[in-house]
Each structure stands twice: as structure tokens, then as C-alpha cells.
Amino acid sequence: PSPKRGLCHVPSQEHPYDDAIWTPSNKSQLTWYYNYKTSPSPSFIPHKDLQFVPMLWGASSSDKADDPSFLDTITAQIARGANITHILSFNEPDGPYATGGSNMPIRLAVDVWKTQIEPLRKLGVKVGAPAVTGSPIGLEWLSTWLEACEGGCTPDFVPVHWYGDFEGLARHVGYVVVRFPGLPVWVTEWGFGEAGLEDTQRMFKMSVALLDRWPAVERYAYFGAFRSDVSNVGPNAAMLTEGGLLTDIGSWYMGGEATHEIP
Ligand SMILES: *[C@@H]1O[C@H](CO)[C@@H](O)[C@H](O)[C@H]1NC(C)=O
Ligand SMILES: *[C@@H]1O[C@H](CO)[C@@H](O)[C@H](O)[C@H]1NC(C)=O
């Protein structure tokens, strides 16, 4: 098992049994997962070797910024004995809803962080900075947000997303490592979106090798764990075929051999 390697869990309404693929009876490399939600995925609760990392996906201005529901939920899970050591905050707050972003104004993201995220640090939980998109606008959003916090937001690690080629990933992670010295990086979504199968597989192998040996990278989660026909980043990025079998990438990610199943 790899302490870095995790599952970005995108549950399928249509094929709920696909969940079982990620918890094989023999050991896999996966040691943690997140699901964009505050509570664990029901199918994974019995699997104590797959640590859940909760996320506060976003908030809209109609929510009250002082509503402590996320903080309460996490506190309650810890009180019940859940192994929660880290949490993730806003998902692509600089991105629009249409592409899965949480589309958050800076002011709202500052207020919600201070009431719901920052207090978790007192419980010993490590908190992830907002996971901005891999575009230049993303890192700009993050810097603007940090400034607007006026010292009141202290992330313990920095999640990053990347879609594109291997050199781009290496450059982007390198930039974040330099920009936030001392803070571990988590690559919580990445892949070579919309590329050909061979290029996608080569990028996957090279990036896993890089992330595995890069000390500043603490954890990573490949995107993604879904069937090729529902992939929103191109079919070749998917870890499952249209019929729900592990693709080569899916099997490699779990620690197995190539399956020669074409996405
Ligand atoms: C909690 O999860 C982490 C990460 O997977 C693991 O290293 C640790 O052993 C777990 N702790 C408990 C008490 O299960
Ligand atoms: C788990 O077992 C299956 C079926 O025997 C095999 O295909 C797969 O490669 C195994 N995974 C690992 C990580 O050994």
C-alpha cells in the first residue's frame, strides 16, 4: 500500500456495485479517499484501511457564512472514533458550476473558512487550502484569498488539480512547492484529459513515478474512478471501461497488472 495514493471517489448512481472494485479482497495500493462530501461513502465504511478525507465542497451566498454545520459534522465524526486527520476545503472555487467548480466569491470563501475550517486545526486536524483549478486564474484566486484572510487562514497543505501533459504537471506542482514553502502538496485531481490512449497511459505512468518520489508531494488521487462512457475528461482517462472492468490505468493504480481492457 502507498501512503500517498488515494481514490477520488465519484459514486455511480447507475452502477452502485462499481464501488466494490476499489476495495478488493487482496491488498491494493490505495490508502485513502475523498468523495467531495462531508460524510464517508457507505460502501467504504467497513474498510478501515481506506481512510476517509472529508471535504467542504463550497457554499453559496444564500448559506449563512456563520453556519457551523461542517465543523459540527467533522467534530461529531471524530467523537465517534473516525480516523479523520485531514480535511479538504472548497473544490475549484475559481471555477464555474458548469465544470464542477464551487464558484465562490473571495469574501464568502474567507468567512466560511474562518468559521468552519480554521477551528478544526485546534482539534489537530490538518486542513487543505481551497483546491483551485490548474489554470493561472486558480493560483491568482488562491493568493487573493490568502491576502483577504489577513492572516486568519492557515492551511496545512495545498491541494492542486492538473489536466494536461506531464511537463505541465511537473511545472505546476513545482510552482506550488516554491510558492508555498514548507506546505505539503496534495494532487487531488489530475490526468491528461481528452488525449489518445497511449499518451494518456504514458502521462499516467510518468506522473505516478514523479509524485511517488517527490518528497513535497504528500498524497495524490488520479481522476478518475469512473466508467469511460461517463468521463467528463475524455474516455481514455477513465479507470473503468464502459462495461465496468478495470482499464490498464485502473489496474495499475490499484497495484495490479495491465488488463488490456480498452476504455
Ligand atoms: C488513519 O489513517 C492513516 C492514513 O491512512 C493511517 O496511517 C493510520 O494508521 C490510521 N489510523 C488509525 C487509528 O486507523
Ligand atoms: C487482486 O486480484 C485480482 C484477481 O485475482 C488481480 O487481477 C489483481 O491484479 C490483484 N491486485 C493486486 C494489487 O494484487
Side-chain angles (χ1 to χ4, degrees):
S2 156
K4 293 189 180 188
R5 193 171 301 181
L7 184 73
C8 174
H9 184 223
V10 186
S12 165
Q13 303 286 346
E14 220 181 321
H15 305 288
Y17 293 112
D18 284 359
D19 281 3
I21 294 167
W22 313 115
T23 53
S25 49
N26 52 358
K27 272 285 177 196
S28 91
Q29 296 267 299
L30 307 178
T31 49
W32 68 280
Y33 75 99
Y34 78 103
N35 58 8
Y36 300 96
K37 296 193 173 81
T38 57
S39 301
S41 305
S43 351
F44 295 163
I45 291 175
H47 297 273
K48 302 291 176 216
D49 51 355
L50 205 53
Q51 185 193 29
F52 176 56
V53 178
M55 171 188 273
L56 178 58
W57 182 82
S60 66
S61 355
S62 56
D63 298 338
K64 290 201 302 292
D66 58 354
D67 168 13
S69 56
F70 181 72
L71 180 59
D72 290 350
T73 306
I74 303 308
T75 309
Q77 288 182 58
I78 293 171
R80 284 197 302 270
N83 182 17
I84 294 175
T85 56
H86 297 77
I87 64 96
L88 295 163
S89 66
F90 324 131
N91 186 64
E92 301 198 346
D94 59 307
Y97 296 130
T99 54
S102 56
N103 192 27
M104 290 178 80
I106 297 280
R107 190 71 251 159
L108 178 67
V110 169
D111 292 346
V112 174
W113 177 284
K114 286 185 178 174
T115 53
Q116 306 224 39
I117 307 288
E118 192 72 18
L120 285 167
R121 302 184 75 238
K122 292 206 184 69
L123 302 176
V125 176
K126 292 196 170 13
V127 300
V132 293
T133 65
S135 76
I137 294 170
L139 293 174
E140 214 177 285
W141 188 100
L142 195 56
S143 294
T144 310
W145 171 79
L146 261 181
E147 262 169 50
C149 283
E150 296 180 320
C153 309
T154 39
D156 296 293
F157 62 99
V158 185
V160 306
H161 290 179
W162 179 260
Y163 291 99
D165 63 12
F166 171 76
E167 287 73 20
L169 172 75
R171 205 168 41 237
H172 187 62
V173 173
Y175 180 83
V176 172
V177 168
V178 171
R179 169 71 181 77
F180 300 98
L183 294 189
V185 170
W186 286 29
V187 181
T188 48
E189 276 188 22
W190 100 90
F192 199 178
E194 312 290 352
L197 184 56
E198 219 174 291
D199 287 343
T200 304
Q201 293 190 341
R202 190 177 316 116
M203 192 278 185
F204 169 85
K205 285 181 168 175
M206 288 172 75
S207 49
V208 165
L210 175 74
L211 301 178
D212 275 338
R213 68 172 183 263
W214 199 337
V217 175
E218 193 170 68
R219 297 193 189 191
Y220 59 76
Y222 178 77
F223 197 84
F226 34 71
R227 297 188 181 203
S228 54
D229 56 325
V230 297
S231 172
N232 62 352
V233 289
N236 293 327
M239 293 205 276
L240 298 176
T241 64
E242 202 171 334
L245 300 171
L246 285 171
T247 62
D248 289 349
I249 288 181
S251 182
W252 290 331
Y253 198 64
M254 301 286 289
E257 300 296 320
T259 59
H260 308 296
E261 297 290 347
I262 303 299

